[in-house]
Amino acid sequence: MDEKQPLLVHKISKVISDFFNPLVSLFIFFIYMSLREYSLKDSILYFTPILLMIIAPVVIWLVWNVKTGRYTNMDVSDRVQRKTLYIFIAACVVAYLIFHYFRNGYIDLVMLFILILIFTMQISNFFIKSSMHTAFNVFVAALFFTLNWKAGLIWLGIAALVGLTRIILKRHTVKEVFMGAGIAFVVSFIYLYCNIQFQH
């Protein structure tokens, strides 16, 4: 009975952790935002470049690197291996930001702050392997706050739950989860401040 309980907790933690990985959480937010803020046509025009220029290339990059043995797993748990992941994601986001600017004449604020979050995580990675799952889910909570404060609170709860699962699965220490959350809270606070300023 004692052995089944930890095993069940581990399985549930794995499902939560896998489902609310950074790409899926951002995907859910962009779908929610697109449906809430835009018509179907505008949603497709907004989301398709994000899907083709960021989400799909990052998924392909992860799968290819895991299959070739460059990454140990899809979480990229190894701190040294993470360096190339951060660089690749940043390159995809920069390419999208340039594309968006030339197409629309302004910088996509959400993507700009995702880039800032990635750079901050990369700097942190030189000293500590902070939790990317936790960081991105905290930032996604901030994104939800700009549209619906109730959804923001729910996602903040999800971020806390994801952080807990990362510890249970031994992917991160408590310190690494708190570091990821701390970085994301700072970036999120600046993002929310800028978002409010640009609305006035």
Side-chain angles (χ1 to χ4, degrees), residues 25-34 110 140 143-144 147:
S25 296
L26 284 168
F27 183 84
I28 291 167
F29 168 75
F30 283 119
I31 292 292
Y32 177 83
M33 185 183 77
S34 296
V110 172
V140 168
L143 297 178
F144 272 110
L147 301 176

Side-chain angles (χ1 to χ4, degrees), residues 19-30 54-60 62 74 89 136:
F19 184 79
F20 293 107
N21 75 64
L23 286 174
V24 174
S25 296
L26 284 168
F27 183 84
I28 291 167
F29 168 75
F30 283 119
I54 300 173
I55 295 172
V58 170
V59 169
I60 292 164
L62 282 167
M74 291 290 283
I89 296 170
F136 269 85

